[in-house]
């Protein structure tokens, strides 16, 4: 099974999950510092204070990437390193870290893919309302421009936001992520302002000469329980209607405005019933609909729903009245997430049909399992099987006509898995947090061979 010649193979990480060094070189506080230091928010009381200490070990980590023959590395930039309070003057020492990282990557012939926002909002902006405040979108565009001004001569591939659904609905809706607010109206407002920030930033990147701009979404096919193992199953009317609504809230809420310049009626309806639509101003959709080249797709598992008459909306899903979130009949990872590889091909084919003008890239895919180090090795057969199964589906989607440019595994390293802390390991490289020793797992060696032969 051979992939297209120019198919991009790589791995992804995010700043707060790996960097540590939270008080160094003038970095300001982020909402994840505040949130993780608040007891009860993160398993084990874990924080990103040290994480993988990547801030000090980036050279070795790039060396590891080179050994694994990665062609691309997707990382994120910590806004509070660049603007400690989220606005105003630029902190040159913060920018210098990414400057050195980019040079190191280029010297190793690894293409840098920079994500501007992977959830570590400067706390100073949260104190002014965070993403519920329209002004944050404009601050984001200024920050994006400052980063592009410095790195744009060497970084051609940019992502504005990582998973705005998660940032808005887990951050401001059910409060499972920073800043931990629980308010459906705030979540819907935040989603809109994130989109506005995306559009404004994309325009600045474009006028600065960026080669490729993408928006990264967490997307899943939304299936009824019967469809999980039988793609041909035809759901009843009520089940089909709730599946369509959840697909709209999860994926179309972001991609329709960004790619088509329109909001689905279901999103406007959810907003109308939760705080109103007054935050959506005339002209906003035009600003959000800035030309982009790629949609980045982060896929882990399908979303499984059925009709549940009389149920109230889930806190993360304003507009999900009458929806029962169901479990899939499938094996699960250590996160409890169902393993449904062909969910990925179903999703990619659908996205390529719904958004034919943009290319696609799998910007995250991977799994947490209970890894054990034995004699300096990690035999993570389950992760190899997970990745192998999903890559076969990626290939299948390409055969079916999806314009798919590459695949980035989540994650290069075990890291700070948000509310789950360090107990969930997604890396293809094992990290011993006491010694910061890195050990490539069997999956890393397997992935290196996949890359070398450009196929399975
Ligand atoms: C995604 C996040 C990423 C990582 C994976 C497991 O939602 O973008 O940071 O935590 O899930």
């Amino acid at each position: 099974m051979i992939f297209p010649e120019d198919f991009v193979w790589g791995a992804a990480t995010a700043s707060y999950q790996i960097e540590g060094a939270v008080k160094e070189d003038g970095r300001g506080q982020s909402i994840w510092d505040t949130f993780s230091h608040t007891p009860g928010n993160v398993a084990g009381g874990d924080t990103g204070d040290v994480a993988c200490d990547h801030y000090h070990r980036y050279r070795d980590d790039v060396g590891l990437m080179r050994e694994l023959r990665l062609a691309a590395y997707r990382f994120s930039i910590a806004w509070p390193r660049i603007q400690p309070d989220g606005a105003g003057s630029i902190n040159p020492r913060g920018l210098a870290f990414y400057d050195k990282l980019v040079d190191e990557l280029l010297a190793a012939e690894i293409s840098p893919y920079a994500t501007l926002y992977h959830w570590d909002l400067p706390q100073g902006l949260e104190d002014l309302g965070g993403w519920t405040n329209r002004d944050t979108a404009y601050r984001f565009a200024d920050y994006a421009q400052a980063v592009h001004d410095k790195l744009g001569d060497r970084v051609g591939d940019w992502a504005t936001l990582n998973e705005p659904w998660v940032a808005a609905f887990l951050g401001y809706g059910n409060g499972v992520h920073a800043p931990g607010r629980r308010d459906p109206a705030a979540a819907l407002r935040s989603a809109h302002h994130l989109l506005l920030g995306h559009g404004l930033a994309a325009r600045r990147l474009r006028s600065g000469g960026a080669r490729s701009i993408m928006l990264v979404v967490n997307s899943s096919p939304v299936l009824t329980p019967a469809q999980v193992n039988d793609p041909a199953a035809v759901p009843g009317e009520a089940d089909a209607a709730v599946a369509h609504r959840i697909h709209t809230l999860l994926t179309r809420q972001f991609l329709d405005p960004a790619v088509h310049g329109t909001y689905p009626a279901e999103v406007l309806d959810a907003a109308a019933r939760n705080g109103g639509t007054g935050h959506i101003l005339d002209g906003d959709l035009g600003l959000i609909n800035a030309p982009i080249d790629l949609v980045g797709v982060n896929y882990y598992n399908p979303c499984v729903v059925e009709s549940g008459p009389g149920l109230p909306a889930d806190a993360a899903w304003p507009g999900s009245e009458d929806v029962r979130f169901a479990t899939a009949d499938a094996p699960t990872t250590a996160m409890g997430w169902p393993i449904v590889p062909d969910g990925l091909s179903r999703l990619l084919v659908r996205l390529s049909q719904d958004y034919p003008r943009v290319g696609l890239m799998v910007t995250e895919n991977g799994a947490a399992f209970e890894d054990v180090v034995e004699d300096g090795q990690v035999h993570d057969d389950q992760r190899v099987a997970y990745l192998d199964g999903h890559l076969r589906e990626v290939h299948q989607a390409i055969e079916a006509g999806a314009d798919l440019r590459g695949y980035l595994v989540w994650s290069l390293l075990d890291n700070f898995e948000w509310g789950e802390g360090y107990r969930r390991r997604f890396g293809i490289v094992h990290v011993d947090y006491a010694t910061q020793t890195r050990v490539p797992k069997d999956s890393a060696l397997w992935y290196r061979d996949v890359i070398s032969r450009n196929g399975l």
Side-chain angles (χ1 to χ4, degrees):
M1 211 174 250
I2 297 297
F3 285 74
E5 212 172 301
D6 50 358
F7 194 74
V8 177
W9 296 98
T13 65
S15 47
Y16 190 71
Q17 296 183 273
I18 64 166
E19 287 178 359
V22 291
K23 298 219 164 100
E24 258 166 85
D25 294 333
R27 177 186 180 276
Q29 194 173 322
S30 82
I31 56 174
W32 269 97
D33 297 297
T34 313
F35 186 79
S36 66
H37 279 269
T38 306
N41 284 339
V42 177
D46 291 343
T47 73
D49 287 3
V50 179
C52 306
D53 196 32
H54 172 76
Y55 194 77
H56 300 118
R57 295 167 194 267
Y58 72 92
R59 281 203 180 85
D60 292 345
D61 289 339
V62 173
L64 214 48
M65 295 178 214
R66 189 213 296 257
E67 280 167 33
L68 298 178
R69 314 225 172 102
L70 303 189
Y73 173 54
R74 173 178 175 241
F75 60 97
S76 80
I77 291 163
W79 187 350
R81 289 197 193 280
I82 311 304
Q83 289 177 302
D85 298 317
S89 58
I90 302 303
N91 170 30
R93 289 182 296 160
L95 259 181
F97 169 69
Y98 300 103
D99 198 50
K100 290 181 292 181
L101 172 64
V102 164
D103 283 344
E104 197 72 23
L105 289 165
L106 293 174
E109 293 178 41
I110 298 168
S111 298
Y113 279 67
T115 299
L116 287 159
Y117 187 72
H118 201 127
W119 309 347
D120 37 5
L121 185 73
Q123 182 62 41
L125 291 183
E126 181 56 31
D127 296 342
L128 301 172
W131 287 107
T132 68
N133 181 354
R134 183 177 175 91
D135 192 54
T136 298
Y138 291 86
R139 301 286 71 77
F140 178 64
D142 289 348
Y143 149 73
Q145 169 142 24
V147 175
H148 189 268
D149 284 349
K150 178 77 175 170
L151 304 180
D153 58 339
R154 285 152 295 149
V155 178
D157 297 284
W158 294 84
T160 53
L161 307 174
N162 179 69
E163 303 189 354
W165 184 87
V166 172
F169 293 94
L170 302 192
Y172 296 83
N174 72 2
V176 164
H177 278 198
R181 289 176 58 180
R182 296 192 179 89
D183 173 1
L188 285 154
R189 263 179 92 84
S190 297
H192 180 70
H193 294 148
L194 280 153
L195 279 166
L196 183 61
H198 156 76
L200 295 170
R203 280 162 204 280
R204 302 275 193 100
L205 296 174
R206 185 71 70 198
S207 57
R211 176 174 65 224
S212 169
I213 300 171
M214 83 181 148
L215 172 63
V216 175
V217 294
N218 51 300
S219 193
S220 295
V222 181
L223 310 173
T224 59
Q227 287 177 309
V228 173
N229 294 307
D230 177 8
V234 180
E237 215 176 298
D239 285 347
V242 299
H244 177 74
R245 192 172 350 129
I246 295 303
H247 172 69
T248 300
L249 294 172
L250 178 64
T251 299
R252 294 182 57 218
Q253 171 162 211
F254 298 93
L255 295 186
D256 280 19
V259 181
H260 298 320
T262 55
Y263 260 129
E266 295 91 333
V267 172
L268 296 174
D269 182 54
R273 287 182 291 113
N274 290 279
T277 54
H279 57 284
I280 304 173
L281 306 189
D282 278 355
D284 280 2
L285 282 165
L287 294 171
I288 292 168
N289 183 28
I292 56 173
D293 305 281
L294 296 177
V295 167
V297 179
N298 296 351
Y299 172 78
Y300 293 92
N301 50 256
C303 183
V304 187
V305 298
E306 58 196 342
S307 161
L311 287 178
D314 182 290
W317 297 93
S320 70
E321 295 83 1
D322 295 349
V323 180
R324 186 189 319 282
F325 290 87
T327 49
D329 178 16
T332 55
T333 69
M335 295 289 279
W337 295 350
I339 303 173
V340 183
D342 75 354
L344 180 53
S345 50
R346 292 192 239 177
L347 173 67
L348 293 170
V349 169
R350 165 114 197 231
L351 294 177
S352 68
Q353 289 163 351
D354 289 356
Y355 308 100
R357 287 195 304 266
V358 290
L360 298 172
M361 180 155 197
V362 175
T363 36
E364 291 181 23
N365 175 241
F369 291 106
E370 308 286 348
D371 298 321
V372 233
V373 188
E374 295 165 279
D375 302 326
Q377 299 182 323
V378 181
H379 302 303
D380 58 339
D381 304 350
Q382 290 176 294
R383 186 172 291 100
V384 172
Y386 181 100
L387 298 175
D388 180 83
H390 285 75
L391 279 171
R392 282 169 199 279
E393 296 300 327
V394 166
H395 193 269
Q396 170 64 36
I398 296 171
E399 302 265 276
D403 177 10
L404 196 75
R405 313 283 178 83
Y407 175 91
L408 310 179
V409 68
W410 184 271
S411 180
L412 176 71
L413 303 170
D414 290 337
N415 60 45
F416 176 80
E417 178 46 35
W418 311 113
E420 298 294 328
Y422 296 101
R423 67 180 180 176
R424 296 289 176 250
R425 294 177 175 274
F426 275 89
I428 55 171
V429 174
H430 183 273
V431 176
D432 176 335
Y433 295 108
T435 62
Q436 292 295 347
T437 305
R438 273 75 160 142
V439 172
K441 304 177 191 177
D442 286 357
S443 57
L445 307 176
W446 171 86
Y447 191 48
R448 177 195 61 195
D449 295 344
V450 170
I451 296 172
S452 298
R453 71 174 99 86
N454 194 34
L456 295 164

